[in-house]
Amino acid sequence: MTPRVYSEDLQLVISSIPYTMRTLAESGMTMLVVTHEMAFLGDVSNRVIFMADGRIEEDGKPEEVFNHPKKERTKEFLARYLSEKK
């Protein structure tokens, strides 16, 4: 397998992950997902736990954590994340 073919196959697998996870979530499967992909997380989760330095900083519904974070560390992370996505 050439590096180009491997890269194309890998991209195909990676691109199918959100679809597969969304399908599993919609079927009612309980999942624990660790990710920095906030948009995807907000779409498929019913609970978000934000951790920093091995500690839980925020725990709640995605709308609450993303739109009204209580802890400064969460606010800083979300601000940095949102500025990188622009």
Side-chain angles (χ1 to χ4, degrees):
M1 181 179 292
T2 67
R4 185 178 70 76
V5 171
Y6 175 79
S7 177
E8 290 171 359
D9 287 349
L10 182 60
Q11 288 303 316
L12 180 62
V13 169
I14 290 170
S15 68
S16 70
I17 291 171
Y19 171 79
T20 302
M21 291 180 71
R22 186 171 280 111
T23 301
L24 291 170
E26 289 170 356
S27 76
M29 178 177 278
T30 299
M31 294 182 282
L32 173 65
V33 179
V34 178
T35 183
H36 285 99
E37 294 299 324
M38 300 296 110
F40 170 71
L41 187 63
D43 286 345
V44 299
S45 64
N46 58 9
R47 180 179 176 193
V48 172
I49 297 174
F50 175 77
M51 295 183 71
D53 301 322
R55 296 182 180 188
I56 295 174
E57 294 289 326
E58 301 268 352
D59 180 358
K61 294 181 180 179
E63 311 82 50
E64 294 169 1
V65 174
F66 295 147
N67 298 326
H68 307 289
K70 296 175 181 76
K71 302 284 183 98
E72 196 58 37
R73 177 69 192 236
T74 311
K75 292 175 186 178
E76 290 170 4
F77 174 81
L78 292 172
R80 188 171 57 247
Y81 171 80
L82 294 173
S83 70
E84 290 174 1
K85 290 298 177 183
K86 289 182 181 177

